[in-house]
Amino acid sequence: MLKRPFGKLLFSFITLFFLLIFLPEFLSLYIDWLWFRDIGLELIFNTRVQGQAFSALAGALGGFLFTYLNIRVALRAMKGRAVVIPLNVQAMPQLDILRHIDWIRIIVPVLTGLFMASLFNANWFTLLSYIHRTASGYADPIFNKDVSFYLFSLPAHALVANALQFTLWATLGALALIYVIKGALYFNSRGVTAERTASAHISLLGAMILAVLAWKSYIAMHAILYSSHGHIAGATYTDVHAVIPFMKARIVMALALAILFIANLRLRRSLLLGAGVAAYIAISFFGSTVYPAILQKFVVAPNELVKETPYIKNNIAFTRKAFGLDKVQDRDISGSTALDRSDIKKNSATIKNIRLWDHRPLLDTYSQIQEIRTYYRFSSVGNDRYMINGEYRQTMLSPRELSSESIPTRNWINETLTFTHGYGLTLGPVNQVTPEGLPVLLIRDIPPISTSEAIKVSRPEIYFGRLSSPYVIVNTKSREFDYPSGEENVFTEYSAKSGVKLDSFLKKMAFSAYFRSMKLLLSNDLTNQSKLLFHRNIMERVHKVMPFLMLDADPYMVIADDGHLVWMVDAYTVSRRFPYSQPSAKGMNYMRNSVKIAINAFDGSLTFYVTDKEDPLIRTIDAIFPGTLKPLADMPADLRKHIRYPLDIFDIQTQIYSTYHMEAPQSFYNKEDQWEIPALGGTDKAVMESYYTIMKLPEEKKEEFILMLPFNPKKKDNLSAWMVARSDGDDYGKLVVYRFPKDRLVYGPKQIVARFNQDTEISRQISLWDQRGSQVIQGTLLVIPIENSLIYVQPLYLRAETGKIPELKRVIVAYENRIAMEETLDAALSKIFGEMKVTDEALAAGNVRLPAVKEDRKLAAVAKEHFDRAIKAQREGNWALYGEEIQKLGEAIKKMQK
């Protein structure tokens, strides 16, 4: 009586399950197909879908068929036999279901197949990487296997082995239940007793499980080479001489046991099997725990350095290889060159590009003076370089994006049809300042106004960015807002070819379900020419195309020669399986900046460029998706000159190199010369951050755009070295480390900051500002190499108590034992190195702040100008500036009275 209702209930459950699971998947698949077709990357979509489908199908069929056939064999062998377990249905009615054991024939294989399908579907890229694997060209020092074995083959082995193990155990559990219920497997005083059929069947499965255990031991044996324990990552002396030999023994023992289980089909010696299993467990425990501990304590520990030296060498060599540190160029500099005025002038291009604007104060300033409307927002400031008036200048650029959350009247029409894009950007040199302490802007306002003929923006619309909403619809009956113009608004119509046309009811219904918005389906503003733009966030956009790449956290915008705005995103290939490599703080032990992505801010088109052709991971990805990745040589020249070495990998490389610059095993073991990133002092324990600048490196002929970070000796405050990553031309990607002599004291950032704080003039001025209610913001301390020496520069910003705009008020410069704080960089340098006359050319370039008041004016005009500025500061609530101007006004009046 129970069989038919139970069968109907089971069928209904399975049908509902499939509808709930697969209907949203099919919808998502259809939307993805439309999107990939729109951006011209159908190959990636097709390869991914085919890879997922075949992987899932193989897993589902393998799991289902293996489990089903084994259960079918067991049920057929037990056919006609009644359930022998005494059942008291009245006491435990739930046990009555055991009378209908036939249901297990479908339920267990289906569940196993679904699990296997899900497992293989989620790991489709692992399987394709194994199929399309490429050799690295270098082998590990223990097993002499190409590193690609660890990057591609071993993950696939582990995946299949785990899948087989799950399937075998699930099958074994189902068979045991069948044989127990049918009375072919039971417990008595002698232990477990099985009939011949059950014994043979279970023995055969046991042999398969042991074969899989041998395979997993083989995998685990090789995985030791990227494990982390002890002093180093990778196999140590104890691993090589104890753990690995016993793992080989365990593999042999497991295979021997598997053969014994097969032989038991005839022998039926359960005692012999039990002894074999016990021996296997004992060898596994002794070989993985006891013997390694004995060897470590009595052989390795008394003479650890000698024993571990070969493995320390492996760790150093492979860690440097994994993070691209094996090609670092080491150069020694004296640090003792005495600088004078001629050296400063000779390096004028470096001086002109000293960054006086920090990202946070500059972002706050841009937000106050250039957002124009409340719905615009600057989310980041990017460092780049341009040729301006014939000079190579570092600039800071911030895109003006649309923030849908800040639209005055938030509704579906405004957020989706009307306000669709940001507009333009703000760009200025890193060290130009107006008389009011604000940044000089080379590109500003809406529409963009450029003061340099070399940089023009012709396509200022930003439909794709970092703040972009999930989707917008363009070319509708509703007017699309372009930009504000005084009291009026200018409207536009999207002219790019990109976007999915909403030219059918099916598409509208699909997108309405996907975005969960009935308005998209019912709106009368949409036409057959309307297009939907989605996945507009540039990071999400790249991740959607290639989720197996790790993205740099600092994308930046470039102005192309044709005036279009292009986002540049750096991407990394990473792994946790590189042999003998030390993992970074984020867990990966292999990292390459192998891809750069250019994204057009107007039409959203993506182009992927390969920057490291030697990387086996990117070559494998290229083999999986042929033709998708382009060589860096194909990048347009106007974009190529703006690529830069990315921050995230440089920060990880400097962290790793602070230890792994020591290549001698003894020095490495004792950490005799370990470095660290300099601390800046203070209660927040902040450390110095890497920064971009333009400078002429020692022994180089011209200035170049670099990324830089200095090092301290461990637990010391003086400088020991500094590392740069080069970005220009053929030198892109080269890492250079400049080392100071160990017998010479070179002040480090923390020592310089302490000297600044102890300087009476500096501390007095800061205290004066604080007393007037203004907030003093100390900028980033910059270490600027000049010739073979260093100068230190730190800007000071002032923000009024009730104001929001930080103003650059002072520049502090330090060289050896001399410190100067002045209103301009040139004035501070002049105080240290002697009077430095600012030429007309330098003024045009804007490397100093113009004098606040021209001294050749009549005193009355001077007094009036100071008075006007004081009144303006009073209105803005800038009491610090107000006090300064009143003081200067008093001095002017005194001069008039003389």
Side-chain angles (χ1 to χ4, degrees):
M1 296 294 293
L2 182 67
K3 186 172 183 179
R4 181 172 295 176
F6 178 78
K8 288 183 177 180
L9 181 63
L10 179 62
F11 177 78
S12 300
F13 174 78
I14 293 175
T15 303
L16 181 62
F17 176 81
F18 272 86
L19 284 175
L20 291 176
I21 294 297
F22 290 105
L23 191 59
E25 288 296 322
F26 283 124
L27 174 62
S28 180
L29 196 66
Y30 173 65
I31 298 298
D32 284 350
W33 174 71
L34 292 174
W35 186 74
F36 275 95
R37 187 179 65 169
D38 174 53
I39 64 175
L41 294 174
E42 300 100 319
L43 174 66
I44 293 180
F45 175 82
N46 294 335
T47 303
R48 189 190 74 182
V49 171
Q50 292 170 9
Q52 289 177 317
F54 284 118
S55 299
L57 184 62
L61 286 178
F64 178 86
L65 289 177
F66 184 86
T67 311
Y68 176 81
L69 292 175
N70 275 276
I71 293 175
R72 181 182 175 86
V73 168
L75 290 175
R76 178 169 292 183
M78 297 292 105
K79 188 175 182 180
R81 298 182 61 160
V83 174
V84 299
I85 297 179
L87 298 176
N88 187 342
V89 177
Q90 292 182 349
M92 298 184 67
Q94 61 270 28
L95 293 179
D96 189 54
I97 196 173
L98 295 177
R99 297 185 186 279
H100 308 280
I101 192 65
D102 286 356
W103 62 266
I104 202 173
R105 178 186 304 173
I106 299 299
I107 291 295
V108 173
V110 166
L111 292 179
T112 303
L114 285 176
F115 175 81
M116 294 286 284
S118 175
L119 179 66
F120 277 70
N121 176 71
N123 290 276
W124 65 274
F125 186 71
T126 299
L127 298 174
L128 286 185
S129 296
Y130 172 73
I131 295 171
H132 296 277
R133 63 192 181 276
T134 57
S136 66
Y138 41 91
D140 77 84
I142 304 300
F143 300 109
N144 198 33
K145 291 184 179 293
D146 190 276
V147 168
S148 61
F149 172 79
Y150 299 90
L151 299 177
F152 309 119
S153 301
L154 215 56
H157 285 206
L159 172 65
V160 176
N162 288 331
L164 286 176
Q165 187 178 47
F166 173 83
T167 303
L168 288 169
W169 282 110
T171 304
L172 182 62
L175 295 184
L177 180 62
I178 292 171
Y179 288 130
V180 167
I181 289 175
K182 294 292 186 176
L185 183 67
Y186 53 90
F187 299 89
N188 55 28
S189 58
R190 294 180 296 174
V192 180
T193 301
E195 294 181 1
R196 186 175 186 84
T197 301
S199 175
H201 200 168
I202 291 175
S203 294
L204 188 60
L205 277 182
M208 293 180 182
I209 290 174
L210 284 165
V212 172
L213 287 177
W215 189 11
K216 288 176 71 69
S217 295
Y218 173 82
I219 295 169
M221 180 178 69
H222 288 84
I224 291 175
L225 266 65
Y226 52 79
S227 61
S228 296
H229 56 277
H231 290 284
I232 59 172
T236 61
Y237 181 93
T238 300
D239 293 324
V240 172
H241 293 86
V243 178
I244 291 177
F246 270 95
M247 294 195 83
K248 291 179 178 179
R250 193 165 71 180
I251 294 171
V252 174
M253 188 70 181
L255 293 175
L257 265 177
I259 296 173
L260 187 60
F261 266 73
I262 295 174
N264 191 56
L265 297 176
R266 288 185 171 275
L267 297 177
R268 301 192 65 194
R269 295 290 189 269
S270 59
L271 187 62
L272 184 61
L273 288 180
V277 171
Y280 175 78
I281 295 173
I283 289 177
S284 298
F285 176 76
F286 183 79
S288 62
T289 307
V290 179
Y291 182 62
I294 294 173
L295 189 69
Q296 180 68 30
K297 184 174 182 178
F298 295 103
V299 177
V300 177
N303 200 14
E304 190 171 42
L305 178 58
V306 174
K307 296 295 184 183
E308 299 289 10
T309 291
Y311 312 105
I312 292 175
K313 287 182 178 179
N314 293 339
N315 175 240
I316 294 172
F318 277 78
T319 298
R320 290 168 65 97
K321 183 75 173 178
F323 290 97
L325 298 171
D326 54 326
K327 298 179 181 179
V328 171
Q329 303 173 27
D330 272 307
R331 298 179 184 177
D332 294 325
I333 56 174
S334 64
S336 59
T337 301
L339 298 180
D340 55 25
R341 184 169 55 182
S342 63
D343 294 314
I344 301 299
K345 288 187 175 181
K346 188 166 59 174
N347 290 271
S348 60
T350 298
I351 300 299
K352 290 177 183 179
N353 286 288
I354 292 177
R355 196 187 77 205
L356 299 182
W357 285 104
D358 276 1
H359 295 82
R360 178 50 55 191
L362 186 62
L363 189 60
D364 291 343
T365 301
Y366 281 171
S367 298
Q368 292 300 313
I369 66 176
Q370 277 293 301
E371 281 188 351
I372 312 296
R373 294 290 189 272
T374 58
Y375 40 79
Y376 289 128
R377 182 180 164 195
F378 293 107
S379 64
S380 63
V381 178
N383 280 277
D384 202 358
R385 67 280 199 198
Y386 291 86
M387 292 298 295
I388 300 172
N389 299 327
E391 290 189 324
Y392 197 43
R393 301 300 300 274
Q394 184 180 354
T395 60
M396 301 185 82
L397 181 154
S398 188
R400 186 184 293 104
E401 297 193 63
L402 180 75
S403 175
S404 59
E405 296 177 355
S406 302
I407 295 174
T409 304
R410 296 192 64 185
N411 54 50
W412 186 81
I413 292 178
N414 278 346
E415 294 181 22
T416 308
L417 310 182
T418 304
F419 293 91
T420 58
H421 58 276
Y423 203 88
L425 52 85
T426 296
L427 179 144
V430 293
N431 67 339
Q432 280 187 290
V433 189
T434 68
E436 292 78 20
L438 300 177
V440 170
L441 304 179
L442 300 179
I443 298 180
R444 57 182 172 81
D445 297 342
I446 298 177
I449 298 173
S450 176
T451 60
S452 173
E453 291 296 326
I455 315 174
K456 295 287 186 181
V457 178
S458 63
R459 179 59 74 181
E461 299 91 342
I462 303 175
Y463 283 87
F464 300 86
R466 301 184 70 176
L467 300 179
S468 301
S469 59
Y471 74 98
V472 295
I473 305 175
V474 296
N475 299 343
T476 66
K477 295 178 182 178
S478 178
R479 293 201 299 173
E480 181 185 350
F481 172 78
D482 197 18
Y483 63 88
S485 179
E487 298 299 323
E488 302 293 329
N489 291 329
V490 177
F491 295 88
T492 188
E493 186 168 322
Y494 190 64
S495 58
K497 296 181 180 179
S498 59
V500 178
K501 273 192 176 183
L502 300 176
D503 51 3
S504 70
F505 181 77
L506 174 63
K507 287 183 181 179
K508 292 180 182 179
M509 187 169 62
F511 280 114
S512 178
Y514 184 78
F515 290 112
R516 300 179 181 180
S517 173
M518 287 298 295
K519 295 183 178 66
L520 199 153
L521 180 64
L522 302 176
S523 175
N524 293 324
D525 289 316
L526 306 186
T527 70
N528 288 338
Q529 299 303 314
S530 298
K531 293 191 288 188
L532 193 142
L533 309 177
F534 60 112
H535 296 316
R536 300 198 304 139
N537 181 287
I538 56 172
M539 305 298 274
E540 174 196 344
R541 199 170 181 83
V542 175
H543 183 75
K544 186 72 177 177
V545 175
M546 292 197 174
F548 30 82
L549 296 178
M550 189 178 88
L551 304 183
D552 189 86
D554 187 34
Y556 61 101
M557 180 171 278
V558 169
I559 305 173
D561 286 352
D562 61 1
H564 281 237
L565 304 181
V566 179
W567 290 98
M568 301 295 289
V569 181
D570 285 281
Y572 308 106
T573 51
V574 297
S575 177
R576 298 171 184 265
R577 297 173 181 266
F578 199 89
Y580 269 111
S581 177
Q582 187 71 29
S584 69
K586 294 185 178 180
M588 75 279 293
N589 67 359
Y590 176 88
M591 189 176 190
R592 285 285 192 278
N593 174 219
S594 295
V595 183
K596 292 188 180 292
I597 305 104
I599 307 173
N600 190 293
F602 179 64
D603 62 24
S605 57
L606 301 94
T607 310
F608 295 79
Y609 298 98
V610 175
T611 57
D612 188 348
K613 296 181 290 186
E614 297 179 0
D615 175 23
L617 287 174
I618 201 62
R619 285 192 281 115
T620 297
I621 292 173
D622 190 36
I624 296 173
F625 308 106
T628 302
L629 304 174
K630 296 183 178 181
L632 187 61
D634 288 356
M635 180 182 284
D638 57 340
L639 298 183
R640 177 70 176 82
K641 63 186 178 184
H642 289 286
I643 66 171
R644 68 185 195 187
Y645 202 83
L647 285 166
D648 286 356
I649 189 172
F650 185 71
D651 289 341
I652 290 175
Q653 286 174 320
T654 51
Q655 287 284 354
I656 297 291
Y657 196 76
S658 64
T659 298
Y660 282 84
H661 71 277
M662 297 178 287
E663 297 186 72
Q666 183 172 353
S667 298
F668 182 90
Y669 177 81
N670 295 319
K671 301 295 185 286
E672 296 174 3
D673 189 26
Q674 189 170 8
W675 298 342
E676 63 182 3
I677 309 302
L680 296 176
T683 56
D684 57 353
K685 298 182 180 179
V687 297
M688 197 165 187
E689 296 180 352
S690 52
Y691 54 91
Y692 292 101
T693 188
I694 290 178
M695 62 169 289
K696 184 171 69 174
L697 295 172
E699 301 177 9
E700 298 295 335
K701 296 181 179 180
K702 64 178 183 178
E703 288 75 19
E704 57 186 287
F705 189 72
I706 64 165
L707 181 59
M708 174 183 170
L709 188 66
F711 294 104
N712 284 347
K714 184 75 171 180
K715 296 182 179 179
K716 300 290 184 181
D717 294 330
N718 59 291
L719 280 188
S720 55
W722 47 281
M723 175 184 276
V724 300
R726 306 173 74 176
S727 295
D728 288 350
D730 294 336
D731 291 324
Y732 174 81
K734 292 181 180 178
L735 299 176
V736 186
V737 171
Y738 295 88
R739 298 173 183 254
F740 295 108
K742 295 182 180 180
D743 58 355
R744 175 176 172 79
L745 174 64
V746 179
Y747 287 121
K750 188 175 181 179
Q751 293 169 319
I752 294 296
V753 170
R755 290 180 59 201
F756 288 170
N757 295 333
Q758 294 167 5
D759 186 90
T760 54
E761 175 61 24
I762 296 174
S763 59
R764 184 193 65 79
Q765 183 62 65
I766 292 176
S767 299
L768 179 62
W769 283 327
D770 287 334
Q771 290 171 6
R772 292 175 176 174
S774 298
Q775 178 189 2
V776 179
I777 304 172
Q778 298 188 21
T780 300
L781 178 69
L782 302 177
V783 181
I784 308 297
I786 303 290
E787 299 299 327
N788 277 317
S789 191
L790 300 173
I791 63 172
Y792 305 84
V793 178
Q794 183 180 43
L796 290 181
Y797 311 94
L798 201 63
R799 193 195 328 248
E801 184 178 12
T802 58
K804 296 182 179 180
I805 303 178
E807 298 176 3
L808 179 61
K809 300 303 294 183
R810 296 289 187 273
V811 179
I812 308 175
V813 176
Y815 169 67
E816 293 186 341
N817 293 318
R818 287 170 279 177
I819 298 176
M821 182 180 73
E822 298 295 331
E823 290 190 5
T824 67
L825 176 60
D826 274 13
L829 290 171
S830 297
K831 193 169 182 179
I832 292 177
F833 297 102
E835 185 63 31
M836 300 184 66
K837 184 179 179 182
V838 181
T839 64
D840 292 338
E841 180 182 359
L843 281 172
N847 73 311
V848 296
R849 193 169 70 182
L850 294 175
V853 179
K854 294 182 178 180
E855 298 298 332
D856 59 350
R857 293 183 182 178
K858 294 181 180 181
L859 289 176
V862 172
K864 184 179 185 304
E865 187 163 348
H866 285 305
F867 175 77
D868 292 341
R869 290 185 185 179
I871 295 300
K872 181 181 178 183
Q874 182 185 39
R875 291 171 179 168
E876 294 177 351
N878 191 341
W879 299 109
L881 179 60
Y882 174 79
E884 288 183 11
E885 294 299 336
I886 290 296
Q887 184 179 357
K888 292 177 180 178
L889 174 60
E891 293 173 357
I893 292 174
K894 287 180 181 179
K895 291 180 180 180
M896 292 172 65
Q897 293 174 342
K898 290 182 179 180

